[in-house]
Amino acid sequence: MYDLVKNRFDINNEYLFNDEFGQQGTTMTYDKYRHRFDKVMKRLKMIHSPHETRHTFITLAKNANIDEYKLKLIVGHAIQDITEKVYTHRSIEELKEEINKI
């Protein structure tokens, strides 16, 4: 997983996945991503949606006992607990440690 991110990381671009040969710019829009995802699913003769990857990741994270609040930060879910949301700060290293539990 680290190599996937490392190979795509570009400090000059705010997005991890880009369309460097795109006719309408390099931004990988959801529509572009979905179209490519669907092509891969068709080629593999599978029926899945991109959203299912979130289900898989969160299930794996729960099975690995990843801290619930760190998991919510990683996947972008809202945190309702005021103490956790406002007063608790997490470092990137802490989040990496949690992901590495999987």
Side-chain angles (χ1 to χ4, degrees):
M1 180 62 122
Y2 177 78
D3 287 338
L4 172 70
V5 173
K6 182 180 168 191
N7 292 337
R8 294 189 172 277
F9 182 74
D10 176 1
I11 198 162
N12 298 313
N13 197 316
E14 66 181 305
Y15 300 103
L16 181 59
F17 294 99
N18 298 287
D19 183 13
E20 55 187 290
F21 303 109
Q23 294 176 342
Q24 286 107 16
T26 59
T27 302
M28 177 63 76
T29 64
Y30 180 78
D31 288 340
K32 285 182 190 179
Y33 173 78
R34 181 62 192 248
H35 176 72
R36 291 173 187 185
F37 187 93
D38 290 344
K39 279 175 65 174
V40 170
M41 289 296 103
K42 185 175 181 178
R43 184 174 287 168
L44 295 174
K45 297 181 171 114
M46 299 173 78
I47 301 171
H48 294 286
S49 72
H51 193 73
E52 286 179 75
T53 60
R54 292 177 64 83
H55 288 260
T56 301
F57 176 78
I58 292 169
T59 300
L60 291 171
K62 290 284 194 170
N63 290 340
N65 296 314
I66 287 182
D67 177 88
E68 182 177 351
Y69 293 113
K70 291 177 185 175
L71 176 59
K72 286 182 179 187
L73 278 173
I74 292 166
V75 298
H77 287 173
I79 297 173
Q80 301 301 319
D81 181 88
I82 294 298
T83 304
E84 193 64 37
K85 181 179 182 179
V86 177
Y87 299 105
T88 305
H89 305 284
R90 309 289 187 190
S91 71
I92 294 295
E93 287 306 315
E94 286 178 278
L95 301 179
K96 281 191 220 176
E97 286 175 18
E98 292 299 295
I99 289 173
N100 286 335
K101 289 180 180 179
I102 297 176

